[in-house]
Amino acid sequence: MTCSLRMAQDYISQCAQKWAGPGSEGVRGLSGSCPGCSLLELRVERTRCRCRENPPLPPAPGAQPFPNPTQPNPVQSQPPTPVPAADLGVTMNPAVFLSLPDLRCSLLLLVTWVFTPVTTEITSLDTENIDDILNNADVALVNFYADWCRFSQMLHPIFEEASNVIKEEYPNENQVVFARVDCDQHSDIAQRYRISKYPTLKLFRNGMMMKREYRGQRSVKALADYIRQQKSDPIQELHDLAEITTLDRSKRNIIGYFEQKDSENYRVFERVANILHDDCAFLSAFGAVSKPERYSGDNIIYKPPGHSAPDMVYLGSMTNFDGTYNWIQDKCVPLVREITFENGEELTEEGLPFLILFHMKEDTESLEIFQNEVARQLISEKGTINFLHADCDKFRHPLLHIQKTPADCPVIAIDSFRHMYVFGDFRDVLIPGKLKQFVFDLHSGKLHREFHHGPDPTDTAPGQEVQDVASSPPESSFQKLAPSGHRYTLLRDRDEL
């Protein structure tokens, strides 16, 4: 007979109803305490069922009565039959004969017990062990949670089951680590990693926290697939330099040319690729294939998007991780990033206002002008505001908030997560200092004041009467992309600008 796990579970349910139920103390390890066979007793142990005390159910038709240790046995009340000397020390136990349904049930119980997967413990992190565990893990997924948060409670069993699935595929202790931090008990750790919502799932590689946290579906399959993706090789190997001509030039491509794969140069390159593979495409070539490009030794080049931009060569030490990482990060993460519906939550959670250029996808000229002026006028403001560009067609709704349509693009605006403020004519961006003043007016509160009360007195002509002109600036549109209270327990609100 072929048995499935589902059949086994059905029979277990039937047996549990027949042989076990609420009542006396548990029967763990007590032989003969459960009115069934020893295999049923194993199941009772595993589910921690309790046996009925009064009265036990009658045996199934055709089965011999099972001895009950609490009731006298008529057979045992008779004088024992003398045992021959040769058989002294041998105890004869009465055989128990089960009907076919009970025998089938017992066998399936045994099969289920044998094939029940072993569960793994989620590693709990604290101030004593967090650095040691994360530094020694190739990949670690850490759940920052609070016991009182209902979303955290819902995630716990899913997180544990995903850990069990991945542990079977990556059994070595340090290949993949699933860990958790109780943020109420360890608030110092929560502050260290800037936790602003529960639950937060952050990825670490050899102790380094990745910029992008996990924001996907909270299911066993999605979490397992995410870890498998993180464990896959982020570098595509080139077997012929002619393959470079077929690269997707809309992406940022980083290509490493190495004499051999087993080298410190390549190991550093691989570490950087593991961290930045979401921002750039990484490729490599070795030996004879890479020789034409290794005229001065191993090297790394950057191919920017487009066919007209020239390649850039890394001139630093290839065994210096920090130098290599900083150079490649500067190339992979541009000063002006594109905002999409996929990365909107991540960008809003950085907590910085947006300076956005809305442009048509094919309008690369306006984008180039905006990028150049941001680099020229606002490089010092990099840590205070996010420089972004958005597709006018995809983000029609935010444009409507500021009474614009795709026909009005290119349009520059600031979203402070409270209100939206529109820059003047796009061509004014070429006036030296004009874009910079627009950002300064945001930080000083001038944009907000003028929207509510009209121009500042310092902006009026001498003798001109100052009037308090009430107005209502458009509400933030991109705030809607921020982490939702339907998915997280949020810990803070942003200040008004």
Side-chain angles (χ1 to χ4, degrees):
M1 179 180 67
T2 302
C3 304
S4 66
L5 180 59
R6 179 67 182 173
M7 292 171 58
Q9 292 171 338
D10 291 341
Y11 276 109
I12 288 168
S13 177
Q14 296 174 20
C15 289
Q17 294 176 9
K18 181 175 181 180
W19 298 113
S24 62
E25 292 297 325
V27 296
R28 301 185 67 172
L30 299 179
S31 176
S33 298
C34 186
C37 65
S38 60
L39 294 177
L40 288 176
E41 182 185 276
L42 288 174
R43 180 58 191 171
V44 172
E45 283 194 12
R46 293 178 63 79
T47 58
R48 300 177 183 173
C49 292
R50 298 172 181 269
C51 281
R52 287 197 175 98
E53 187 176 44
N54 294 311
L57 290 177
Q64 296 295 325
F66 190 88
N68 189 335
T70 64
Q71 300 292 335
N73 191 326
V75 177
Q76 293 176 347
S77 63
Q78 299 176 5
T81 305
V83 179
D87 292 333
L88 289 176
V90 178
T91 304
M92 300 295 292
N93 292 325
V96 178
F97 297 94
L98 298 175
S99 62
L100 180 59
D102 291 323
L103 179 60
R104 182 172 56 181
C105 173
S106 302
L107 291 174
L108 287 171
L109 284 170
L110 177 61
V111 170
T112 305
W113 178 71
V114 169
F115 289 99
T116 298
V118 178
T119 58
T120 58
E121 289 290 333
I122 303 297
T123 303
S124 294
L125 302 179
D126 54 39
T127 53
E128 300 294 328
N129 66 6
I130 184 169
D131 291 328
D132 182 59
I133 291 175
L134 295 184
N135 289 340
N136 289 296
D138 295 341
V139 171
L141 185 63
V142 181
N143 175 19
F144 293 85
Y145 73 96
D147 278 331
W148 49 264
C149 166
R150 65 187 180 96
F151 301 111
S152 296
Q153 295 168 6
M154 294 164 61
L155 179 61
H156 282 325
I158 297 171
F159 195 70
E160 291 174 0
E161 182 59 27
S163 173
N164 295 335
V165 171
I166 290 298
K167 196 65 177 178
E168 293 180 1
E169 300 178 23
Y170 302 96
N172 292 346
E173 183 179 2
N174 293 329
Q175 282 184 297
V176 178
V177 171
F178 276 70
R180 61 188 173 193
V181 174
D182 185 335
C183 294
D184 282 341
Q185 296 293 326
H186 304 288
S187 58
D188 54 334
I189 298 179
Q191 292 174 5
R192 174 180 172 182
Y193 293 109
R194 302 179 64 183
I195 303 303
S196 60
K197 64 188 185 308
Y198 301 137
T200 294
L201 296 177
K202 288 189 175 290
L203 186 77
F204 293 78
R205 289 183 179 275
N206 302 113
M208 177 181 284
M209 184 182 72
M210 300 296 97
K211 183 177 180 180
R212 288 184 173 88
E213 65 187 54
Y214 178 78
R215 300 176 186 271
Q217 184 180 4
R218 292 172 188 164
S219 69
V220 174
K221 183 180 183 303
L223 286 171
D225 287 345
Y226 173 71
I227 293 298
R228 293 186 189 105
Q229 180 186 17
Q230 297 301 319
K231 290 294 291 181
S232 62
D233 191 345
I235 305 173
Q236 176 188 341
E237 183 175 347
L238 300 172
H239 300 285
D240 191 321
L241 293 183
E243 296 176 36
I244 295 176
T245 60
T246 63
L247 293 181
D248 183 353
R249 294 308 299 268
S250 66
K251 296 181 179 180
R252 292 172 167 79
N253 293 281
I254 303 290
I255 308 177
Y257 298 101
F258 305 92
E259 182 178 358
Q260 54 185 358
K261 197 169 188 177
D262 185 17
S263 64
E264 185 62 23
N265 286 349
Y266 181 73
R267 280 188 284 271
V268 169
F269 183 74
E270 189 176 36
R271 282 184 62 192
V272 175
N274 276 319
I275 297 170
L276 296 173
H277 64 87
D278 289 331
D279 301 295
C280 270
F282 285 82
L283 306 99
S284 63
F286 305 95
V289 176
S290 65
K291 189 174 181 179
E293 297 290 338
R294 289 189 292 105
Y295 43 85
S296 59
D298 293 355
N299 66 84
I300 301 172
I301 69 166
Y302 165 63
K303 286 185 173 294
H307 294 275
S308 58
D311 295 348
M312 302 179 68
V313 181
Y314 176 56
L315 301 177
S317 170
M318 295 183 64
T319 58
N320 184 323
F321 171 78
D322 290 335
T324 306
Y325 172 78
N326 290 333
W327 186 83
I328 294 180
Q329 183 191 42
D330 182 62
K331 304 300 178 287
C332 292
V333 183
L335 182 62
V336 179
R337 293 176 286 176
E338 181 179 11
I339 185 170
T340 65
F341 291 111
E342 288 74 23
N343 67 4
E345 181 179 283
E346 172 191 334
L347 290 172
T348 56
E349 197 174 10
E350 291 181 9
L352 300 177
F354 291 171
L355 175 65
I356 312 174
L357 167 69
F358 295 93
H359 68 104
M360 302 304 292
K361 187 175 182 179
E362 62 275 9
D363 181 13
T364 57
E365 181 182 355
S366 296
L367 176 58
E368 186 175 353
I369 292 173
F370 182 70
Q371 290 172 330
N372 291 338
E373 292 306 316
V374 166
R376 182 178 294 113
Q377 301 184 39
L378 296 172
I379 190 66
S380 61
E381 298 298 310
K382 185 176 180 181
T384 65
I385 192 167
N386 270 326
F387 310 116
L388 306 171
H389 67 99
D391 187 331
C392 283
D393 280 330
K394 291 182 180 179
F395 287 92
R396 288 172 177 262
H397 187 68
L399 283 173
L400 290 176
H401 269 255
I402 53 178
Q403 300 179 346
K404 302 288 184 180
T405 68
D408 298 311
C409 290
V411 173
I412 297 175
I414 285 178
D415 192 318
S416 70
F417 300 128
R418 184 72 178 181
H419 297 298
M420 292 188 71
Y421 309 99
V422 183
F423 185 70
D425 192 303
F426 173 76
R427 289 168 293 185
D428 290 346
V429 75
L430 295 173
I431 300 175
K434 188 76 172 181
L435 190 62
K436 185 174 185 177
Q437 188 61 51
F438 183 53
V439 173
F440 279 4
D441 288 346
L442 169 74
H443 293 316
S444 68
K446 181 178 179 180
L447 291 180
H448 188 263
R449 289 194 308 272
E450 290 189 342
F451 264 104
H452 283 290
H453 308 293
D456 280 354
T458 55
D459 293 337
T460 58
Q464 181 180 353
E465 184 180 354
V466 178
Q467 295 181 346
D468 190 1
V469 181
S471 66
S472 179
E475 292 185 354
S476 167
S477 181
F478 289 92
Q479 173 66 18
K480 298 179 178 64
L481 298 180
S484 169
H486 298 291
R487 179 174 167 84
Y488 300 99
T489 299
L490 306 177
L491 302 182
R492 61 180 174 83
D493 295 321
R494 293 184 177 87
D495 297 330
E496 177 176 341
L497 281 176

